[in-house]
């Protein structure tokens, strides 16, 4: 593994009995980047993270984190990682501050001085017992413990769950600050807007396979444009139906609508043979591309997964 790659999986498979959660996952996360790992619940995001942290063992394939096998790295490897799980099981009578101080002692004192500044930043009352905290306040405890020791790798699973919109923005600022000091951030989420705001690259996972990996601008380009052309009189579909890069063509009276992937040259030349009275082109968002992948029948995913694996490498 090169020093430029912090997380790598190859042909990673994880089965739960007869259920296959990961189906040959290939992934690379580069040093110093924020990588967004997106997909709906059940896509394999949390399973991937648990394998990376040696909380689960893979059925087949391999994973490497910071140059080591997660199982072989043990406690020394995990000390270099800040982990925020998707579901925080926090109970007990101890206060939030006491819990965080205990975690700092387990890390040899690392992060103890940052507990209070981070708690104040997120409005966390350190004197309140854990068992009396709301879901949002428990999430704040999780954020503080993940960031307080300034780890070189942050693995964050649905990190803004339970946080109000203002604190979600504060959290994203904290992520950007971590990257600025050289940390790598692997952030799993189904909230596409927050991933778009901070991630350099994004990977889309479906049914345990990567179906696309690229930078946000390129993924938006893949999403295409929604084109509307209005003609002076009705036109037939035959001049447009076979055009390259044109999908989802519809004609209603004098109005043509379609999804355009790639250059508009052929479409514009075909339209120029008629009297065009109005036109518009609207860029689609990353969310639209995400939804496209989840409309594709499973049997059509193989070629997309192979291409995504090439991008990941």
């Amino acid at each position: 593994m090169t020093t430029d790659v912090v997380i790598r999986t190859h042909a990673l498979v994880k089965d739960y009995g007869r259920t296959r959660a990961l189906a040959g996952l290939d992934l690379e996360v580069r040093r110093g980047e924020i990588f967004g790992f997106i997909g709906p619940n059940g896509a394999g995001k949390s399973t991937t993270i648990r394998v990376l942290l040696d909380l689960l063992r893979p059925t087949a394939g391999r994973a490497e984190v910071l140059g080591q096998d997660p199982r072989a790295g043990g406690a020394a490897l995990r000390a270099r990682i800040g982990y925020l799980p998707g579901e925080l099981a926090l109970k007990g009578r101890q206060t939030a501050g006491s819990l965080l101080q205990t975690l700092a002692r387990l890390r040899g004192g690392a992060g103890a001085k940052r507990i209070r500044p981070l708690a104040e930043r997120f409005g966390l009352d350190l004197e309140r017992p854990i068992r009396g905290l709301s879901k949002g306040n428990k999430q704040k405890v999780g954020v503080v413990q993940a960031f307080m020791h300034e780890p070189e790798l942050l693995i964050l699973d649905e990190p803004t769950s339970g946080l109000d919109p203002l604190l979600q923005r504060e959290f994203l600022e904290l992520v950007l600050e971590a990257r600025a000091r050289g940390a790598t951030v692997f952030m799993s989420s189904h909230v596409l807007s927050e991933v778009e705001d901070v991630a350099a690259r994004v990977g889309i996972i479906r049914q345990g396979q990567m179906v696309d990996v690229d930078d946000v601008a390129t993924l938006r380009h893949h999403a295409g444009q929604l084109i509307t052309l209005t003609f002076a009189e009705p036109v037939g579909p035959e001049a447009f139906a076979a055009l390259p890069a044109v999908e989802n063509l519809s004609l209603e009276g004098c109005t043509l609508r379609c999804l355009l992937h790639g250059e508009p040259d052929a479409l514009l030349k075909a339209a120029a043979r008629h009297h065009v009275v109005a036109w518009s082109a609207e860029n689609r968002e990353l969310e639209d591309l995400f939804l496209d992948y989840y409309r594709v029948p499973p049997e059509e995913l193989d070629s997309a997964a192979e291409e995504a694996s090439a991008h990941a490498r």
Side-chain angles (χ1 to χ4, degrees):
M1 178 172 178
T2 68
T3 56
D4 291 333
V5 179
V6 171
I7 293 173
R8 174 182 284 140
T9 69
H10 176 68
L12 194 64
V13 174
K14 177 59 184 177
D15 294 334
Y16 298 102
R18 296 182 179 179
T19 300
R20 176 149 290 185
L22 298 178
L25 184 74
D26 291 328
L27 171 68
E28 283 191 358
V29 179
R30 302 163 187 159
R31 185 172 300 279
E33 77 171 332
I34 300 171
F35 187 95
F37 191 47
I38 62 176
N41 293 334
K45 303 189 306 297
S46 293
T47 297
T48 302
I49 285 174
R50 288 167 184 160
V51 170
L52 294 176
L53 294 165
D54 195 38
L55 299 174
L56 290 173
R57 300 283 164 80
T59 304
R62 69 176 188 270
E64 293 178 348
V65 178
L66 294 168
Q68 301 179 63
D69 178 280
R71 183 176 185 181
L77 174 61
R78 288 190 287 275
R80 301 164 64 190
I81 299 170
Y83 170 47
L84 178 58
E87 295 182 10
L88 281 166
L90 297 179
K91 300 178 181 178
R93 297 183 179 182
Q94 66 184 138
T95 65
S98 175
L99 173 63
L100 291 167
Q101 289 292 345
T102 298
L103 292 174
R105 286 194 295 273
L106 290 172
R107 292 167 173 159
K113 293 182 179 179
R114 279 171 45 87
I115 292 173
R116 190 161 296 279
L118 285 171
E120 291 174 355
R121 185 169 177 177
F122 283 87
L124 172 64
D125 184 352
L126 295 173
E127 304 307 317
R128 291 192 61 186
I130 291 292
R131 65 180 182 179
L133 295 181
S134 65
K135 174 179 172 58
N137 279 311
K138 287 181 179 178
Q139 193 71 9
K140 295 174 189 178
V141 175
V143 170
V144 173
Q145 66 80 29
F147 283 82
M148 68 187 197
H149 59 303
E150 297 188 318
E152 58 187 284
L153 171 62
L154 284 150
I155 297 180
L156 311 171
D157 191 2
E158 302 289 350
T160 61
S161 175
L163 298 180
D164 65 45
L166 287 177
L167 290 180
Q168 289 175 15
R169 298 304 309 174
E170 191 66 38
F171 171 81
L172 294 180
E173 286 296 321
L174 191 61
V175 168
L176 291 172
E177 291 168 14
R179 183 194 61 184
R181 64 171 172 77
T184 303
V185 182
F186 182 74
M187 189 166 82
S188 159
S189 182
H190 66 271
V191 182
L192 277 71
S193 58
E194 68 184 23
V195 171
E196 276 193 277
D197 286 345
V198 298
R201 292 192 306 142
V202 173
I204 300 175
I205 184 172
R206 175 182 169 177
Q207 295 184 344
Q209 291 183 303
M210 298 298 295
V211 293
D212 209 345
V213 180
D214 225 318
D215 62 82
V216 170
T218 301
L219 287 174
R220 279 181 171 170
H221 177 73
H222 290 174
Q225 293 180 306
L226 294 174
I227 306 295
T228 302
L229 290 162
T230 303
F231 300 96
E233 55 188 28
V235 299
E238 59 277 355
F240 303 94
L243 291 176
V246 171
E247 299 177 6
N248 301 341
L249 180 72
S250 69
L251 273 166
E252 297 179 9
C254 299
T255 301
L256 177 149
R257 293 183 176 85
C258 69
L259 172 59
L260 178 68
H261 290 287
E263 295 183 356
D265 184 66
L267 176 61
L268 293 177
K269 286 176 178 175
R273 300 188 186 103
H274 307 274
H275 183 182
V276 180
V277 296
W279 74 280
S280 68
E282 178 185 351
N283 289 326
R284 296 169 84 219
E285 296 298 328
L286 180 59
E287 183 171 358
D288 297 304
L289 178 65
F290 176 84
L291 293 173
D292 286 347
Y293 280 122
Y294 278 84
R295 295 187 188 105
V296 174
E299 59 271 15
E300 296 180 19
L301 282 178
D302 290 343
S303 61
E306 289 175 5
E307 184 177 348
S309 295
H311 277 295
R313 293 190 291 271

